[in-house]
Amino acid sequence: MADQIKRPLPESLMKAIRATVESADLTPTEKFEAVVLMSHGYGLFSAAEALDPTVYAIPQEQWAAISEMLMTMPDGDVGKVNMALDWMNVGPSSYEEAIQN
């Protein structure tokens, strides 16, 4: 298609896809969904001149859990603070879920 954006996935994403597919903790459906979302997400991320993290929001509990994962990566993962800051700058925003009475 003429109007397709053609861009190879970076090796880092290929490693993440490989780790996801090889994970013993995920069902085949979970693996498939993750791979589709990673590849589509990268396409959207790389095609955008600027990302607006307020366009999409996830529950605050999930947002905080991802932030915590990024901040508590093993010590060998240098730049974890920068990754957490990047998450805040280009990742989705969060929202408080309404309390059900």
Side-chain angles (χ1 to χ4, degrees), residues 3-4 11-12 20 34-35 39 46 54-55 60 65 73 76 93 96 98:
D3 53 344
Q4 280 183 320
E11 185 56 32
S12 59
T20 298
V35 170
S39 58
S46 64
T54 63
V55 172
Q60 197 283 327
M73 290 187 293
S93 58
E96 290 286 333

Side-chain angles (χ1 to χ4, degrees), residues 13-32:
L13 187 57
M14 291 301 296
K15 287 180 181 179
I17 289 171
R18 188 172 298 109
T20 298
V21 171
E22 293 174 354
S23 173
D25 296 334
L26 299 172
T27 67
T29 299
E30 291 169 333
K31 291 176 185 184
F32 176 76

Side-chain angles (χ1 to χ4, degrees), residues 58-71 87 94:
I58 60 176
Q60 197 283 327
E61 184 177 308
Q62 291 178 336
W63 191 92
I66 294 169
S67 297
E68 181 72 17
M69 286 183 238
L70 291 170
M71 287 297 296
W87 166 250
S94 67

Side-chain angles (χ1 to χ4, degrees), residues 45-92:
F45 176 79
S46 64
E49 290 182 28
L51 295 175
D52 180 358
T54 63
V55 172
Y56 178 68
I58 60 176
Q60 197 283 327
E61 184 177 308
Q62 291 178 336
W63 191 92
I66 294 169
S67 297
E68 181 72 17
M69 286 183 238
L70 291 170
M71 287 297 296
T72 58
M73 290 187 293
D75 289 337
D77 290 335
V78 295
K80 60 187 173 184
V81 171
N82 287 337
M83 284 187 252
L85 290 172
D86 286 343
W87 166 250
M88 291 177 199
N89 290 324
V90 298

